[in-house]
Amino acid sequence: MSGDKIRNARKDEIGAIMELIANCVQVMQAGGSDQWNESYPNREVISEDVDKGTLYAYEEQGAIAGIIVLDEEQAEQYDAIDWAEGPGPHLIMHRLAVHPEVQGKGIARKLIAFAEEHARSRGYTSIRLDTYAKNARALALYPSLGYEYRGVVDFPGRTANFTVFEKVLTAGGNNGQAS
């Protein structure tokens, strides 16, 4: 991973992040997905993520190649989901995006692995997320990484629903058992 790193995004990078998002929106829409558009995620949302310290950037050769937001903010629609892990806290994954020019190089997997390590090191019991029903790549990716289907939710203004996933995190792996 020479020169590649995942770190908190900075205020002075919001323009580059918005450019990455605009490129992703073009590819999504060309592929028939209206998950993201000109109004979401917008500069205000991204600025708030940066201000809260919840937006992480994957830097490759000095440029932002991907982003992910990690926080505890669950949509109210999540209340209707039958989660595997009831007691919290739970880390919620939002706005995972990889620049179209570098997609297919494992950057999304690296960001997700980072999220899992981040969650474990901070005592979260699970990671929860939703992804648009028209996002075939994400719908295939999450189950391949151990995320379990938990149901679907609807968000206002979207033509399709969102598939909800959860990955329960085990502390230490063997629960203190002798191996």
Side-chain angles (χ1 to χ4, degrees):
M1 214 165 97
S2 62
D4 301 349
K5 63 181 176 179
I6 300 173
R7 56 166 176 75
N8 283 99
R10 301 184 310 262
K11 265 285 201 221
D12 65 335
E13 296 172 319
I14 291 174
I17 293 166
M18 294 310 300
E19 189 175 315
L20 179 150
I21 289 169
N23 283 306
C24 289
V25 167
Q26 278 186 322
V27 170
M28 285 177 178
Q29 290 179 349
S33 175
D34 59 342
Q35 178 178 358
W36 287 1
N37 54 35
E38 304 74 38
S39 60
Y40 179 85
N42 59 36
R43 185 175 288 271
E44 182 181 340
V45 168
I46 296 302
S47 293
E48 284 180 25
D49 292 337
V50 172
D51 288 345
K52 292 178 194 169
T54 58
L55 192 150
Y56 296 87
Y58 182 95
E59 184 180 318
E60 181 180 67
Q61 299 173 342
I64 295 177
I67 60 168
I68 192 169
V69 174
L70 304 172
D71 63 29
E72 295 182 12
E73 296 179 23
Q74 294 189 126
E76 66 183 44
Q77 288 87 339
Y78 279 27
D79 294 345
I81 298 295
D82 181 23
W83 299 105
E85 184 69 11
H90 309 284
L91 186 67
I92 313 303
M93 194 184 309
H94 311 273
R95 296 182 274 293
L96 172 64
V98 175
H99 195 291
E101 290 177 6
V102 292
Q103 287 178 0
K105 293 174 63 177
I107 294 171
R109 288 176 182 270
K110 290 176 185 175
L111 284 163
I112 293 167
F114 171 82
E116 292 174 11
E117 180 54 38
H118 176 88
R120 283 187 182 96
S121 70
R122 287 163 177 76
Y124 289 99
T125 59
S126 76
I127 296 180
R128 297 174 174 177
L129 64 106
D130 58 73
T131 193
Y132 204 44
K134 294 181 180 181
N135 188 338
R137 289 177 81 174
L139 290 170
L141 175 64
Y142 292 115
S144 77
L145 296 175
Y147 287 78
E148 294 183 9
Y149 170 86
R150 302 307 306 166
V152 295
V153 294
D154 291 304
F155 290 108
R158 297 292 184 240
T159 57
N161 59 28
F162 287 73
T163 303
V164 181
F165 293 100
E166 176 182 33
K167 185 170 188 174
V168 175
L169 304 172
T170 54
N174 66 4
N175 295 328
Q177 302 294 317
S179 39

